[in-house]
Amino acid sequence: DAKTTQPTSMDCAEGRAANLPCNHSTISGNEYVYWYRQIHSQGPQYIIHGLKNNETNEMASLIITEDRKSSTLILPHATLRDTAVYYCIVANEKLTFGTGTRLTIIP
Amino acid sequence: SAVISQKPSRDICQRGTSLTIQCQVDSQVTMMFWYRQQPGQSLTLIATANQGSEATYESGFVIDKFPISRPNLTFSTLTVSNMSPEDSSIYLCSVWDRGQSGYTFGSGTRLTVV
């Protein structure tokens, strides 16, 4: 599986949009981009995934660049409950987790 | 989406003993995965549990230490054998969830070895 690069940590003000970047320059044509988050001591929670088109669901939006070498997860209106570690993963079968971004929502 | 039940949720075990962790899914799934999360670390894939065949282990993990069973399409077990304090981790199972086209995770088993 291709590797990803994410910032170690980020802060975002409550109510603002949180934009989490991810680089995956070695992604293969059949690999999807997945985003998960892990709130302290819980199992990872699925957020969204995409192949090459931008995706949106009730939790977030996923913007994938045209060359698919990077993507951005957008939480449109961050709340304190969005404080978590966010993992960007590229995979087509099994998930390989990197170190993720620790997102802290500031009141 | 699929609902996963993992048991036990936590346990404290003596070194040298073994613990078997159960993962039950409320629907039939083809692929089940076992992960380990050591304190303060990210998740590491241990193995893929295949129904009707032996599990496929990742580099650094061996069947003697982490035997896995997959008797049917809704259930799997992971055994942590001959435990040492270094095995203290959260162990999680995951399945490919066709309903959400993604992977769903159980809530994990927090293991402490003393």
Side-chain angles (χ1 to χ4, degrees), chain A residues 36 38 49 93-95 98, chain B residues 35 37 42 58 101 103 110:
Chain A
Y36 282 77
Q38 188 174 28
H49 77 285
E93 187 176 77
K94 57 188 179 183
L95 301 181
Chain B
Y35 288 83
Q37 187 170 28
S42 183
E58 298 298 308
S101 296
Y103 298 82
R110 183 180 294 274

Side-chain angles (χ1 to χ4, degrees), chain B:
Chain B
S1 59
V3 176
I4 299 175
S5 173
Q6 247 187 269
K7 293 181 181 179
S9 59
R10 59 177 62 228
D11 207 342
I12 301 173
C13 300
Q14 296 291 321
R15 68 178 67 200
T17 63
S18 298
L19 176 72
T20 295
I21 302 167
Q22 299 179 3
C23 179
Q24 178 74 54
V25 191
D26 68 345
S27 58
Q28 293 186 338
V29 293
T30 304
M31 294 188 289
M32 296 181 76
F33 306 89
W34 286 98
Y35 288 83
R36 179 177 72 181
Q37 187 170 28
Q38 295 175 300
Q41 304 295 312
S42 183
L43 284 78
T44 302
L45 180 64
I46 297 172
T48 303
N50 308 305
Q51 196 269 332
S53 64
E54 280 198 2
T56 303
Y57 289 84
E58 298 298 308
S59 176
F61 297 96
V62 295
I63 188 171
D64 290 346
K65 176 66 176 177
F66 298 101
I68 288 171
S69 78
R70 180 83 196 274
N72 56 52
L73 292 175
T74 64
F75 186 78
S76 178
T77 66
L78 169 76
T79 299
V80 186
S81 302
N82 188 25
M83 288 183 287
S84 67
E86 291 72 34
D87 294 319
S88 298
S89 297
I90 299 174
Y91 292 86
L92 302 107
C93 73
S94 173
V95 303
W96 166 255
D97 187 344
R98 186 173 300 178
Q100 70 173 17
S101 296
Y103 298 82
T104 298
F105 285 80
S107 55
T109 296
R110 183 180 294 274
L111 170 63
T112 302
V113 183
V114 297

Side-chain angles (χ1 to χ4, degrees), chain A residues 1 4-5 16-18 29 35-36 42 54 65 72-73 78 84 88 90 98 107:
Chain A
D1 292 337
T4 61
T5 303
R16 297 290 190 119
W35 282 85
Y36 282 77
Q42 298 180 21
N54 297 339
T65 58
T72 300
L73 177 74
C88 167
V90 292

